[in-house]
Amino acid sequence: VNGEKVTTINKLAASKKDQHKTTNNMIGIAIYLLLFLAGLFSLVVCLLSGQFPDWTTTFQLPISCGLAGGFGGVLYCLRGLYLNYSVKKQWSSEWYPWYVIRPFVSILTGSVSFLFLKAGLLVLEAQTETTSSNFGFYALAFIAGLNVDKFISKIEDLAQATWGIEKSRASKENK
């Protein structure tokens, strides 16, 4: 009987230790994401205040689209952190690389969204306005960063319809 109590106490202690480690890892990921967000804000401030080198003014819109995608990606990661840790109680270490890499992928998809809009392969509005602003670029870039998988799937749909390029294996498996 005493052996069973000791085993139970040891299991409880190990469980508490694992829970503490999981909480610390979650906090580390949260800090990383908040620092990434602060970095994005800093880059936006530098871009808007003209602190980037002169040659970047030509690329201000694609850079801004990449940053908008980054904001979308960080928002998605923070939401995922909250949902998986607090709501669903299914926090898992297998997802740590995803939380680290996803904001960078979101920056890339935000930048790619600019290319597709600029090339006319994606259209935001039916009629062209001469006084239109860049908000459509920023909005699409944010959405592309927020939902990378759907954006890539739509781009693959476009590539298949336009050029006959088959969808990637990953897209086929996710259907």
Side-chain angles (χ1 to χ4, degrees):
V1 176
N2 281 342
E4 289 177 17
K5 286 182 182 178
V6 169
T7 302
T8 303
I9 291 171
N10 286 340
K11 285 182 182 178
L12 287 173
S15 175
K16 286 281 189 190
K17 187 176 181 181
D18 288 343
Q19 185 179 7
H20 183 69
K21 182 179 176 185
T22 299
T23 300
N24 284 343
N25 289 337
M26 185 276 308
I27 291 170
I29 296 290
I31 290 170
Y32 165 77
L33 291 171
L34 292 173
L35 288 173
F36 201 98
L37 188 63
L40 290 172
F41 275 117
S42 298
L43 289 172
V44 167
V45 168
C46 288
L47 188 66
L48 293 176
S49 65
Q51 294 180 12
F52 276 12
D54 290 337
W55 64 268
T56 61
T57 56
T58 307
F59 304 105
Q60 187 166 355
L61 185 55
I63 290 170
S64 297
C65 286
L67 294 173
F71 281 114
V74 171
L75 174 65
Y76 192 78
C77 288
L78 288 169
R79 180 180 172 270
L81 188 142
Y82 159 73
L83 287 175
N84 289 314
Y85 185 81
S86 299
V87 176
K88 297 179 182 177
K89 309 280 191 236
Q90 62 182 22
W91 186 255
S92 173
S93 62
E94 287 96 26
W95 285 90
Y96 294 170
W98 180 86
Y99 283 101
V100 172
I101 295 168
R102 177 61 183 262
F104 291 103
V105 173
S106 294
I107 289 172
L108 290 172
T109 56
S111 297
V112 168
S113 73
F114 163 80
L115 293 175
F116 278 86
L117 279 174
K118 198 68 172 170
L121 296 171
L122 292 176
V123 180
L124 292 178
E125 44 189 51
Q127 51 187 330
T128 307
E129 295 180 24
T130 56
T131 60
S132 66
S133 69
N134 293 328
F135 288 118
F137 282 95
Y138 304 142
L140 181 66
F142 179 84
I143 292 168
L146 182 71
N147 198 336
V148 170
D149 297 330
K150 291 280 189 205
F151 178 76
I152 290 174
S153 177
K154 291 297 180 191
I155 296 301
E156 287 182 338
D157 287 343
L158 176 68
Q160 189 173 21
T162 306
W163 301 295
I165 298 172
E166 288 290 319
K167 285 190 160 204
S168 67
R169 188 173 54 234
S171 288
K172 289 177 183 176
E173 291 171 0
N174 285 335
K175 282 206 163 199

